[in-house]
């Protein structure tokens, strides 16, 4: 799980590192298309064409559209903001997922501790946005406010993807199939957005090739399948707590590799966002541990 957090924390940096040579939209589209082909071969080999006629197609198209929309927003946002900022705002997804499930799933009502987490997280988001007047941040990305807002919308789209999966027949479908729907839609939509836009043709330097291969093989395929494999064998609440390290790695790599500025208001806001996410996602575990301490 720690290796997955490092991998996910580095993906925005890998995209931003070669953004001048290959458009972020094209990078994400290519990695999604690669993963879709590999997963398609796997799903068809395991189940055959009947696997695509089990009634999950409508839900799969919806989930795939939300997933593609999330990464369209990420790709657009990375043109305006830093990779470290995108790492934090994208990972607000659990907050939006919890709110969506609270409204749509009676068994997923938020507890008081989770509501506190929502308030803390949105307070952190507000604080992070307040620092856009800092000279270092403005010099690094003049339209950072727009990029950060797109990152927040991407987090909301990711959260709604989780809600859509939980509310549909995909909640009982094999993980590889759900991921297949997502990658197919992203592999179609993002290259289409890139082709329709004014982006320059890609410049395939050695670094660009290495970055795209890393994103295809490690990020889009191996890491997601490993995540689903872990979820089948370990408690999701414990894994979720460890996943909070991902934005920290994202910020650290952005500052270290890309020399991105780290202003005080964003750092404080990021801490509050992560604290809020932890309260929302791990409320049950926190209350369980508190009850054990009181019983001693």
């Amino acid at each position: 799980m720690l290796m997955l957090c490092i991998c996910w924390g580095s993906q925005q940096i890998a995209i931003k590192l070669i953004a001048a040579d290959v458009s972020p939209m094209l990078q994400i589209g290519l990695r999604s298309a690669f993963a879709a082909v590999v997963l398609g071969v796997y799903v068809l080999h395991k189940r055959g064409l009947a696997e695509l006629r089990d009634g999950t197609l409508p839900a799969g198209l919806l989930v795939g559209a939300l997933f593609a929309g999330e990464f369209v927003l990420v790709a657009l946002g990375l043109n305006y903001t830093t990779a470290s900022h995108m790492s934090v705002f994208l990972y607000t997804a659990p907050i939006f997922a919890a709110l969506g499930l609270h409204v749509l799933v009676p068994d997923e009502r938020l507890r008081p501790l989770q509501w506190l987490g929502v308030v803390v997280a949105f307070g952190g988001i507000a604080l992070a946005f307040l620092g856009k007047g800092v000279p270092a941040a403005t010099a690094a990305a003049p339209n950072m406010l727009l990029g950060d807002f797109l990152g927040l919308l991407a987090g909301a789209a990711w959260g709604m993807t989780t809600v859509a999966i939980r509310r549909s027949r995909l909640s009982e479908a094999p993980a590889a199939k759900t991921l297949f729907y997502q990658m197919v839609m992203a592999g179609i939509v993002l290259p289409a957005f890139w082709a329709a836009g004014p982006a320059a043709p890609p410049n395939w330097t050695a670094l660009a090739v290495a970055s795209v291969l890393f994103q295809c093989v490690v990020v889009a395929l191996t890491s997601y399948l490993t995540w689903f494999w872990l979820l089948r064998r370990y408690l999701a609440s414990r894994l979720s707590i460890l996943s909070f390290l991902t934005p920290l790695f994202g910020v650290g790599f952005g500052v270290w590799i890309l020399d991105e500025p780290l202003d005080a208001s964003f750092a404080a806001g990021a801490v509050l966002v992560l604290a809020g996410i932890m309260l929302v996602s791990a409320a049950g575990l926190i209350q369980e541990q508190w009850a054990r301490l009181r019983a001693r």
Side-chain angles (χ1 to χ4, degrees):
M1 189 61 208
L2 180 62
M3 294 302 297
L4 282 185
C5 292
I6 293 172
C7 170
W8 293 337
S10 66
Q11 65 173 317
Q12 315 303 335
I13 283 74
I15 294 172
K16 192 79 172 180
L17 191 62
I18 62 167
D21 294 317
V22 184
S23 165
M25 194 76 70
L26 182 59
Q27 291 183 57
I28 301 173
L30 288 175
R31 81 184 193 192
S32 301
F34 170 82
V37 170
V38 175
L39 288 167
V41 171
Y42 172 79
V43 170
L44 292 176
H45 174 71
K46 295 286 287 187
R47 304 280 184 172
L49 290 174
E51 182 68 7
L52 301 178
R53 297 194 294 267
D54 63 351
T56 60
L57 182 60
L61 293 176
L62 172 61
V63 167
L66 286 169
F67 183 83
E70 171 196 339
F71 280 102
V72 166
L73 291 166
V74 169
L76 291 174
L78 284 172
N79 291 320
Y80 303 108
T81 192
T82 61
S84 54
H85 279 221
M86 181 60 69
S87 296
V88 171
F89 288 112
L90 178 60
Y91 277 86
T92 58
I95 301 295
F96 294 105
L99 290 172
L101 291 170
H102 174 82
V103 172
L104 298 174
V105 182
D107 293 337
E108 295 280 356
R109 299 293 183 187
L110 290 175
R111 306 174 186 181
L113 188 60
Q114 290 176 303
W115 278 115
L116 175 61
V118 171
V119 172
V120 170
F122 278 104
I125 291 170
L127 181 58
F129 272 92
L130 289 176
K132 297 305 174 288
V134 175
T138 305
N143 295 312
M144 185 177 284
L145 185 63
L146 173 60
D148 286 356
F149 181 66
L150 290 172
L152 191 62
L153 290 180
W158 184 2
M160 292 306 100
T161 301
T162 301
V163 174
I165 292 172
R166 291 287 299 276
R167 290 274 296 168
S168 70
R169 297 181 64 175
L170 286 174
S171 61
E172 300 176 357
K177 185 174 182 180
T178 302
L179 187 58
F180 170 69
Y181 282 128
Q182 293 174 308
M183 292 300 175
V184 166
M185 290 295 288
I188 294 172
V189 171
L190 274 87
F193 261 83
W194 172 79
N203 178 26
W204 293 110
T205 63
L207 181 61
V209 171
S211 177
V212 170
L213 285 176
F214 166 75
Q215 294 178 60
C216 287
V217 178
V218 179
V219 175
L221 188 63
T222 307
S223 73
Y224 288 138
L225 290 177
T226 302
W227 167 248
F228 289 127
W229 179 85
L230 285 171
L231 286 176
R232 290 196 298 269
R233 288 162 175 80
Y234 300 96
L235 290 175
S237 58
R238 308 292 173 87
L239 295 176
S240 296
I241 291 174
L242 286 173
S243 70
F244 300 147
L245 294 172
T246 300
L248 297 180
F249 283 120
V251 172
F253 288 145
V255 173
W256 175 39
I257 298 174
L258 300 178
D259 198 25
E260 294 178 344
L262 185 62
D263 56 86
S265 61
F266 172 73
V271 169
L272 288 177
V273 168
L274 295 179
I277 293 172
M278 179 171 289
L279 288 174
V280 169
S281 300
L285 183 61
I286 293 171
Q287 291 177 337
E288 176 187 331
Q289 294 300 322
W290 176 247
R292 287 181 180 178
L293 288 173
R294 292 183 63 184
R296 288 180 180 177

